[in-house]
Amino acid sequence: MTALDLSSPVAVVGTGTMGQGIAQVALVAGHPVRLYDAVPGRAGQAAAAIGARLDRLVDKDRLTAADRDAARARLAAVDSLAELADCALVVEAVLERLDVKQALLTELEEVVADDCLLATNTSSLSVTAIGGALRDPGRLVGLHFFNPAPLLPLVEVVSGFATDVTSATRAYETARAWGKTPVACADTPGFIVNRIARPFYAEAFAVLESQGADPATIDAVLRESGGFRMGAFELTDLIGQDVNESVTHSVWQSFFQDVRFTPSLAQRRLVESGRLGRKSGHGWYDYGDGAERPEPHTAEPARPPAYVVVEGDLGPAAEVTALIREAGIPVREEDEDHGTRLVLPSGGQLVLADGQTSVEFRDVVYFDLALDYRRATRIALSASQDTDPQTLAEAVGLFQALGKDVSVVGDVPGLIVARTVARIVDLAHDAVAKGVATEEDIDTAMRLGVNYPLGPFEWSRRLGRTWAYDLLDDLHLRDPSGRYAPSLALYRHAYAGEKRESAS
């Protein structure tokens, strides 16, 4: 099954921001495009807005004047659904309500030809449920574009329970012909991106709710250590707290209130107070005139330790040893079977976040995971009230000597980046095991859809087979609510790796 021929008319029903974006994508690709909106006059306004955006593309040398003029000639606003009768594809981008979408598509089904492909751009509703009202649900497919549709490359092509393979394949190939990067996924709550991205927000909010750190510090650690483009608090302010919470709540409810997707009470209070983010002028941060952005907590300068003893293999943090040597700090390495750690002159230990807490041990400071310890500009450290101040000072001084800003947070098991990445990796393995999507498509979706520095499986391969499982297992022991219980898929992944290693 190939993509739709460029001579085939494409219709978009619903002309808000997303509908206009989808129409522009199809138009620039070369299709005749028709716009319809139930509100009189709105389709014409949308056509004018798209034309203005085409003008700006010409001004930026991204489109020729001739191509713009040709595109404008192919664009038409229509006054009735009957005028969509000869379309080969109709994409609905109307209100996110099941009854509204079902009613529209049922009406469209009586207008268009039997071979017309119907698509929904829903981000949170079930494609299967939307298609359940149709005479022929096999022709309905999810085409989930990301906003702004003309700029963001990802399209999730979602097959409902009754979607025909030919329909899904044609939608996939058409999205690719439009210059997008399609990924195929099954119809499960949140599809790929909105399902697997939940821990990025949830763990940041959990650290805040436990008073482990403030939003500015958590965001800085996620950016400067984890390599994420934005922190969870600034990103949800950009998205809109009401929008982000609505998606989280929808996924949680759709998974029968699975504790792994539990919404944040702190975010609920933010929404209730009307602090919705940038669009309201205040969210986690204040965007009013003259408001100053809070600075992340950064430790005062401390003296580096006179030497460091490296015991065992530091695993994902192995680069730290080389950085210590390059900083001119003497390093002595010792092989140890009982653990991997840095031992400081005070006798205290510096350990990579593993899901345990500092309070459990005599004198341990934990340090967070980094995407790249050489390039990271900030590291988070976690200590308890019983940690020897000298040990903490030496740990701070060590990472400062490596050129890092240091944020000392509370006794947070798994710290910030490590627990976030571990949960993302777990949900990704679980999704593959349940047939949601392939590893490759999940990695592609998370890199392109939410700009993650690595896909979950790229992280997993880099960190080692057992890393995420071990960290979550330790977290689960300390929080047995089920939130951190590793999935069976992750257990099988880790166990298979251990079996292979022991057999070799």
Side-chain angles (χ1 to χ4, degrees):
M1 184 63 65
T2 58
L4 294 176
D5 188 271
L6 289 180
S7 64
S8 302
V10 171
V12 177
V13 179
T15 58
T17 301
M18 185 57 75
Q20 291 181 32
I22 296 169
Q24 181 178 327
V25 170
L27 188 65
V28 171
H31 289 272
V33 173
R34 294 174 195 165
L35 296 173
Y36 173 79
D37 199 291
V39 178
R42 190 168 287 176
Q45 294 169 2
I50 293 171
R53 283 196 289 273
L54 295 179
D55 287 340
R56 290 196 290 274
L57 290 177
V58 172
D59 292 340
K60 296 177 181 178
D61 292 327
R62 296 178 183 174
L63 191 69
T64 67
D67 285 342
R68 175 200 57 197
D69 294 342
R72 278 181 165 167
R74 294 194 303 272
L75 180 63
V78 301
D79 297 324
S80 69
L81 291 179
E83 295 178 78
L84 310 182
D86 64 339
C87 288
L89 167 65
V90 181
V91 183
E92 72 79 11
V94 299
L95 190 64
E96 278 287 280
R97 275 180 42 188
L98 179 61
D99 59 337
V100 173
K101 292 180 183 293
Q102 286 181 327
L104 168 63
L105 289 164
T106 300
E107 189 174 357
L108 278 169
E109 195 173 31
E110 300 307 316
V111 171
V112 299
D114 289 342
D115 61 351
C116 175
L117 185 63
L118 299 178
T120 172
N121 184 57
T122 185
S123 61
S124 59
L125 298 176
S126 164
V127 174
T128 302
I130 294 170
L134 297 180
R135 172 171 34 85
D136 178 16
R139 67 157 85 183
L140 179 69
V141 64
L143 276 179
H144 181 212
F145 288 77
F146 289 74
N147 193 30
L151 297 180
L152 294 186
L154 184 69
V155 178
E156 291 177 321
V157 181
V158 186
S159 293
F161 185 78
T163 301
D164 292 335
V165 173
T166 53
S167 299
T169 303
R170 170 153 284 183
Y172 185 99
E173 293 301 332
T174 297
R176 185 157 62 179
W178 290 357
K180 296 301 180 182
T181 303
V183 292
C185 63
D187 182 25
T188 61
F191 309 141
I192 297 175
V193 173
N194 281 330
R195 173 179 180 154
I196 295 173
R198 293 347 297 160
F200 180 75
Y201 314 109
E203 292 312 304
F205 299 161
V207 173
L208 173 70
E209 290 173 340
S210 68
Q211 301 186 60
D214 60 276
T217 299
I218 296 168
D219 278 353
V221 171
L222 286 168
R223 289 193 313 269
E224 299 171 36
S225 182
F228 293 95
R229 183 167 296 183
M230 299 180 75
F233 297 94
E234 56 190 343
L235 179 55
T236 52
D237 268 357
L238 179 64
I239 294 169
Q241 298 302 329
D242 52 340
V243 174
N244 182 260
E245 193 211 24
S246 176
V247 173
T248 298
H249 196 271
S250 174
V251 172
W252 175 62
Q253 289 284 21
S254 298
F255 276 116
F256 309 104
Q257 300 186 359
D258 186 329
V259 69
R260 295 176 302 166
F261 302 102
T262 300
S264 161
L265 181 59
Q267 188 180 40
R268 175 91 290 265
R269 293 292 180 257
L270 204 66
V271 173
E272 289 174 339
S273 70
R275 294 185 171 185
L276 306 181
R278 289 181 178 270
K279 63 185 177 182
S280 71
H282 204 305
W284 297 111
Y285 301 110
D286 185 352
Y287 299 94
D289 292 339
E292 294 185 6
R293 180 71 173 266
E295 293 294 327
H297 169 75
T298 302
E300 294 295 327
R303 295 182 61 183
Y307 64 90
V308 173
V309 177
V310 179
E311 294 187 349
D313 178 7
L314 295 182
E319 182 74 3
V320 171
T321 303
L323 294 176
I324 295 172
R325 284 198 171 95
E326 291 169 18
I329 299 173
V331 175
R332 184 169 72 246
E333 295 189 58
E334 295 182 0
D335 292 330
E336 292 287 340
D337 294 331
H338 59 271
T340 59
R341 60 197 179 187
L342 300 169
V343 180
L344 302 167
S346 62
Q349 301 170 24
L350 190 54
V351 180
L352 177 63
D354 59 7
Q356 301 182 80
T357 59
S358 293
V359 76
E360 300 171 53
F361 304 98
R362 185 183 64 81
D363 200 13
V364 168
V365 172
Y366 282 101
F367 66 98
D368 209 351
L369 180 70
L371 172 68
D372 183 333
Y373 282 99
R374 185 171 292 278
R375 295 184 180 180
T377 57
R378 182 177 299 271
I379 292 292
L381 303 181
S382 174
S384 77
Q385 59 185 8
D386 297 328
T387 303
D388 185 339
Q390 180 60 28
T391 297
L392 181 57
E394 289 176 346
V396 169
L398 174 64
F399 279 104
Q400 288 175 340
L402 306 187
K404 319 298 182 188
D405 288 328
V406 176
S407 292
V408 179
V409 304
D411 192 9
V412 178
L415 276 157
I416 297 169
V417 178
R419 67 196 283 176
T420 299
V421 170
R423 288 206 59 214
I424 289 171
V425 167
D426 182 46
L427 289 186
H429 278 280
D430 185 53
V432 169
K434 292 177 178 173
V436 174
T438 65
E439 292 186 7
E440 181 181 4
D441 276 355
I442 288 175
D443 275 354
T444 297
M446 301 313 290
R447 280 189 283 100
L448 298 184
V450 277
N451 289 311
Y452 284 3
L454 294 175
F457 293 97
E458 293 172 316
W459 270 114
S460 186
R461 288 188 289 272
R462 176 182 289 200
L463 297 170
R465 278 185 168 271
T466 63
W467 180 85
Y469 176 84
D470 290 342
L471 187 144
L472 291 175
D473 194 39
D474 278 337
L475 271 170
H476 178 55
L477 290 174
R478 287 149 186 83
D479 178 2
S481 64
R483 177 188 182 99
Y484 299 104
S487 67
L488 179 60
L490 189 63
Y491 171 77
R492 285 174 171 155
H493 175 76
Y495 184 73
E498 287 188 343
K499 291 289 285 185
R500 277 196 291 270
E501 289 172 6
S502 63
S504 60

mmCIF file with all atom_site columns, all heavy atoms in Angstrom, residues 138-150:
data_model
loop_
_atom_site.group_PDB
_atom_site.id
_atom_site.type_symbol
_atom_site.label_atom_id
_atom_site.label_alt_id
_atom_site.label_comp_id
_atom_site.label_asym_id
_atom_site.label_entity_id
_atom_site.label_seq_id
_atom_site.pdbx_PDB_ins_code
_atom_site.Cartn_x
_atom_site.Cartn_y
_atom_site.Cartn_z
_atom_site.occupancy
_atom_site.B_iso_or_equiv
_atom_site.pdbx_formal_charge
_atom_site.auth_seq_id
_atom_site.auth_comp_id
_atom_site.auth_asym_id
_atom_site.auth_atom_id
_atom_site.pdbx_PDB_model_num
ATOM 1   N N   . GLY A 1 138 ? -12.737 -0.069 10.183 1.00 0.00 ? 138 GLY A N   1
ATOM 2   C CA  . GLY A 1 138 ? -11.446 -0.453 9.624  1.00 0.00 ? 138 GLY A CA  1
ATOM 3   C C   . GLY A 1 138 ? -10.761 0.659  8.869  1.00 0.00 ? 138 GLY A C   1
ATOM 4   O O   . GLY A 1 138 ? -9.540  0.653  8.695  1.00 0.00 ? 138 GLY A O   1
ATOM 5   N N   . ARG A 1 139 ? -11.535 1.662  8.423  1.00 0.00 ? 139 ARG A N   1
ATOM 6   C CA  . ARG A 1 139 ? -10.945 2.757  7.653  1.00 0.00 ? 139 ARG A CA  1
ATOM 7   C C   . ARG A 1 139 ? -10.425 3.886  8.540  1.00 0.00 ? 139 ARG A C   1
ATOM 8   O O   . ARG A 1 139 ? -9.829  4.837  8.039  1.00 0.00 ? 139 ARG A O   1
ATOM 9   C CB  . ARG A 1 139 ? -11.971 3.324  6.684  1.00 0.00 ? 139 ARG A CB  1
ATOM 10  C CG  . ARG A 1 139 ? -13.139 4.023  7.392  1.00 0.00 ? 139 ARG A CG  1
ATOM 11  C CD  . ARG A 1 139 ? -13.806 5.021  6.471  1.00 0.00 ? 139 ARG A CD  1
ATOM 12  N NE  . ARG A 1 139 ? -14.808 4.404  5.624  1.00 0.00 ? 139 ARG A NE  1
ATOM 13  C CZ  . ARG A 1 139 ? -15.490 5.062  4.696  1.00 0.00 ? 139 ARG A CZ  1
ATOM 14  N NH1 . ARG A 1 139 ? -15.281 6.356  4.508  1.00 0.00 ? 139 ARG A NH1 1
ATOM 15  N NH2 . ARG A 1 139 ? -16.399 4.451  3.957  1.00 0.00 ? 139 ARG A NH2 1
ATOM 16  N N   . LEU A 1 140 ? -10.651 3.810  9.861  1.00 0.00 ? 140 LEU A N   1
ATOM 17  C CA  . LEU A 1 140 ? -10.226 4.873  10.761 1.00 0.00 ? 140 LEU A CA  1
ATOM 18  C C   . LEU A 1 140 ? -8.853  4.580  11.344 1.00 0.00 ? 140 LEU A C   1
ATOM 19  O O   . LEU A 1 140 ? -8.589  3.483  11.844 1.00 0.00 ? 140 LEU A O   1
ATOM 20  C CB  . LEU A 1 140 ? -11.219 5.052  11.905 1.00 0.00 ? 140 LEU A CB  1
ATOM 21  C CG  . LEU A 1 140 ? -10.837 6.141  12.918 1.00 0.00 ? 140 LEU A CG  1
ATOM 22  C CD1 . LEU A 1 140 ? -10.945 7.534  12.291 1.00 0.00 ? 140 LEU A CD1 1
ATOM 23  C CD2 . LEU A 1 140 ? -11.690 6.041  14.168 1.00 0.00 ? 140 LEU A CD2 1
ATOM 24  N N   . VAL A 1 141 ? -7.982  5.590  11.329 1.00 0.00 ? 141 VAL A N   1
ATOM 25  C CA  . VAL A 1 141 ? -6.635  5.464  11.877 1.00 0.00 ? 141 VAL A CA  1
ATOM 26  C C   . VAL A 1 141 ? -6.319  6.733  12.662 1.00 0.00 ? 141 VAL A C   1
ATOM 27  O O   . VAL A 1 141 ? -6.863  7.806  12.383 1.00 0.00 ? 141 VAL A O   1
ATOM 28  C CB  . VAL A 1 141 ? -5.605  5.240  10.742 1.00 0.00 ? 141 VAL A CB  1
ATOM 29  C CG1 . VAL A 1 141 ? -5.535  6.441  9.820  1.00 0.00 ? 141 VAL A CG1 1
ATOM 30  C CG2 . VAL A 1 141 ? -4.235  4.892  11.297 1.00 0.00 ? 141 VAL A CG2 1
ATOM 31  N N   . GLY A 1 142 ? -5.477  6.613  13.649 1.00 0.00 ? 142 GLY A N   1
ATOM 32  C CA  . GLY A 1 142 ? -5.007  7.787  14.365 1.00 0.00 ? 142 GLY A CA  1
ATOM 33  C C   . GLY A 1 142 ? -3.808  8.392  13.653 1.00 0.00 ? 142 GLY A C   1
ATOM 34  O O   . GLY A 1 142 ? -2.869  7.666  13.287 1.00 0.00 ? 142 GLY A O   1
ATOM 35  N N   . LEU A 1 143 ? -3.846  9.697  13.420 1.00 0.00 ? 143 LEU A N   1
ATOM 36  C CA  . LEU A 1 143 ? -2.693  10.431 12.900 1.00 0.00 ? 143 LEU A CA  1
ATOM 37  C C   . LEU A 1 143 ? -2.402  11.537 13.905 1.00 0.00 ? 143 LEU A C   1
ATOM 38  O O   . LEU A 1 143 ? -2.963  12.630 13.813 1.00 0.00 ? 143 LEU A O   1
ATOM 39  C CB  . LEU A 1 143 ? -2.988  11.025 11.515 1.00 0.00 ? 143 LEU A CB  1
ATOM 40  C CG  . LEU A 1 143 ? -2.803  10.128 10.296 1.00 0.00 ? 143 LEU A CG  1
ATOM 41  C CD1 . LEU A 1 143 ? -3.162  10.883 9.019  1.00 0.00 ? 143 LEU A CD1 1
ATOM 42  C CD2 . LEU A 1 143 ? -1.378  9.598  10.205 1.00 0.00 ? 143 LEU A CD2 1
ATOM 43  N N   . HIS A 1 144 ? -1.566  11.224 14.873 1.00 0.00 ? 144 HIS A N   1
ATOM 44  C CA  . HIS A 1 144 ? -1.310  12.166 15.954 1.00 0.00 ? 144 HIS A CA  1
ATOM 45  C C   . HIS A 1 144 ? -0.087  13.016 15.612 1.00 0.00 ? 144 HIS A C   1
ATOM 46  O O   . HIS A 1 144 ? 1.061   12.592 15.754 1.00 0.00 ? 144 HIS A O   1
ATOM 47  C CB  . HIS A 1 144 ? -1.085  11.425 17.272 1.00 0.00 ? 144 HIS A CB  1
ATOM 48  C CG  . HIS A 1 144 ? -0.838  12.351 18.426 1.00 0.00 ? 144 HIS A CG  1
ATOM 49  N ND1 . HIS A 1 144 ? -0.028  12.027 19.488 1.00 0.00 ? 144 HIS A ND1 1
ATOM 50  C CD2 . HIS A 1 144 ? -1.285  13.620 18.669 1.00 0.00 ? 144 HIS A CD2 1
ATOM 51  C CE1 . HIS A 1 144 ? 0.016   13.040 20.336 1.00 0.00 ? 144 HIS A CE1 1
ATOM 52  N NE2 . HIS A 1 144 ? -0.738  14.015 19.853 1.00 0.00 ? 144 HIS A NE2 1
ATOM 53  N N   . PHE A 1 145 ? -0.355  14.238 15.130 1.00 0.00 ? 145 PHE A N   1
ATOM 54  C CA  . PHE A 1 145 ? 0.703   15.206 14.869 1.00 0.00 ? 145 PHE A CA  1
ATOM 55  C C   . PHE A 1 145 ? 1.045   15.922 16.176 1.00 0.00 ? 145 PHE A C   1
ATOM 56  O O   . PHE A 1 145 ? 0.247   15.973 17.114 1.00 0.00 ? 145 PHE A O   1
ATOM 57  C CB  . PHE A 1 145 ? 0.234   16.247 13.848 1.00 0.00 ? 145 PHE A CB  1
ATOM 58  C CG  . PHE A 1 145 ? 0.116   15.741 12.446 1.00 0.00 ? 145 PHE A CG  1
ATOM 59  C CD1 . PHE A 1 145 ? -0.964  14.965 12.059 1.00 0.00 ? 145 PHE A CD1 1
ATOM 60  C CD2 . PHE A 1 145 ? 1.077   16.054 11.497 1.00 0.00 ? 145 PHE A CD2 1
ATOM 61  C CE1 . PHE A 1 145 ? -1.095  14.507 10.752 1.00 0.00 ? 145 PHE A CE1 1
ATOM 62  C CE2 . PHE A 1 145 ? 0.970   15.606 10.193 1.00 0.00 ? 145 PHE A CE2 1
ATOM 63  C CZ  . PHE A 1 145 ? -0.125  14.827 9.822  1.00 0.00 ? 145 PHE A CZ  1
ATOM 64  N N   . PHE A 1 146 ? 2.223   16.498 16.210 1.00 0.00 ? 146 PHE A N   1
ATOM 65  C CA  . PHE A 1 146 ? 2.663   17.254 17.380 1.00 0.00 ? 146 PHE A CA  1
ATOM 66  C C   . PHE A 1 146 ? 2.721   18.735 17.023 1.00 0.00 ? 146 PHE A C   1
ATOM 67  O O   . PHE A 1 146 ? 3.045   19.101 15.890 1.00 0.00 ? 146 PHE A O   1
ATOM 68  C CB  . PHE A 1 146 ? 4.007   16.729 17.878 1.00 0.00 ? 146 PHE A CB  1
ATOM 69  C CG  . PHE A 1 146 ? 3.905   15.377 18.529 1.00 0.00 ? 146 PHE A CG  1
ATOM 70  C CD1 . PHE A 1 146 ? 3.706   14.237 17.770 1.00 0.00 ? 146 PHE A CD1 1
ATOM 71  C CD2 . PHE A 1 146 ? 3.967   15.254 19.902 1.00 0.00 ? 146 PHE A CD2 1
ATOM 72  C CE1 . PHE A 1 146 ? 3.568   12.991 18.362 1.00 0.00 ? 146 PHE A CE1 1
ATOM 73  C CE2 . PHE A 1 146 ? 3.837   14.012 20.515 1.00 0.00 ? 146 PHE A CE2 1
ATOM 74  C CZ  . PHE A 1 146 ? 3.634   12.878 19.746 1.00 0.00 ? 146 PHE A CZ  1
ATOM 75  N N   . ASN A 1 147 ? 2.414   19.561 17.973 1.00 0.00 ? 147 ASN A N   1
ATOM 76  C CA  . ASN A 1 147 ? 2.286   21.006 17.742 1.00 0.00 ? 147 ASN A CA  1
ATOM 77  C C   . ASN A 1 147 ? 3.630   21.724 17.924 1.00 0.00 ? 147 ASN A C   1
ATOM 78  O O   . ASN A 1 147 ? 4.297   21.500 18.950 1.00 0.00 ? 147 ASN A O   1
ATOM 79  C CB  . ASN A 1 147 ? 1.254   21.564 18.728 1.00 0.00 ? 147 ASN A CB  1
ATOM 80  C CG  . ASN A 1 147 ? 0.822   22.969 18.378 1.00 0.00 ? 147 ASN A CG  1
ATOM 81  O OD1 . ASN A 1 147 ? 0.813   23.358 17.217 1.00 0.00 ? 147 ASN A OD1 1
ATOM 82  N ND2 . ASN A 1 147 ? 0.498   23.747 19.390 1.00 0.00 ? 147 ASN A ND2 1
ATOM 83  N N   . PRO A 1 148 ? 4.044   22.572 16.966 1.00 0.00 ? 148 PRO A N   1
ATOM 84  C CA  . PRO A 1 148 ? 3.364   22.925 15.720 1.00 0.00 ? 148 PRO A CA  1
ATOM 85  C C   . PRO A 1 148 ? 3.610   21.893 14.614 1.00 0.00 ? 148 PRO A C   1
ATOM 86  O O   . PRO A 1 148 ? 4.764   21.531 14.346 1.00 0.00 ? 148 PRO A O   1
ATOM 87  C CB  . PRO A 1 148 ? 3.975   24.283 15.372 1.00 0.00 ? 148 PRO A CB  1
ATOM 88  C CG  . PRO A 1 148 ? 5.346   24.252 15.980 1.00 0.00 ? 148 PRO A CG  1
ATOM 89  C CD  . PRO A 1 148 ? 5.239   23.421 17.227 1.00 0.00 ? 148 PRO A CD  1
ATOM 90  N N   . ALA A 1 149 ? 2.532   21.456 14.000 1.00 0.00 ? 149 ALA A N   1
ATOM 91  C CA  . ALA A 1 149 ? 2.610   20.372 13.019 1.00 0.00 ? 149 ALA A CA  1
ATOM 92  C C   . ALA A 1 149 ? 3.546   20.655 11.847 1.00 0.00 ? 149 ALA A C   1
ATOM 93  O O   . ALA A 1 149 ? 4.243   19.751 11.380 1.00 0.00 ? 149 ALA A O   1
ATOM 94  C CB  . ALA A 1 149 ? 1.205   20.036 12.512 1.00 0.00 ? 149 ALA A CB  1
ATOM 95  N N   . PRO A 1 150 ? 3.619   21.899 11.323 1.00 0.00 ? 150 PRO A N   1
ATOM 96  C CA  . PRO A 1 150 ? 4.531   22.125 10.197 1.00 0.00 ? 150 PRO A CA  1
ATOM 97  C C   . PRO A 1 150 ? 6.009   21.990 10.577 1.00 0.00 ? 150 PRO A C   1
ATOM 98  O O   . PRO A 1 150 ? 6.844   21.739 9.700  1.00 0.00 ? 150 PRO A O   1
ATOM 99  C CB  . PRO A 1 150 ? 4.211   23.566 9.763  1.00 0.00 ? 150 PRO A CB  1
ATOM 100 C CG  . PRO A 1 150 ? 2.819   23.811 10.247 1.00 0.00 ? 150 PRO A CG  1
ATOM 101 C CD  . PRO A 1 150 ? 2.750   23.074 11.552 1.00 0.00 ? 150 PRO A CD  1
#
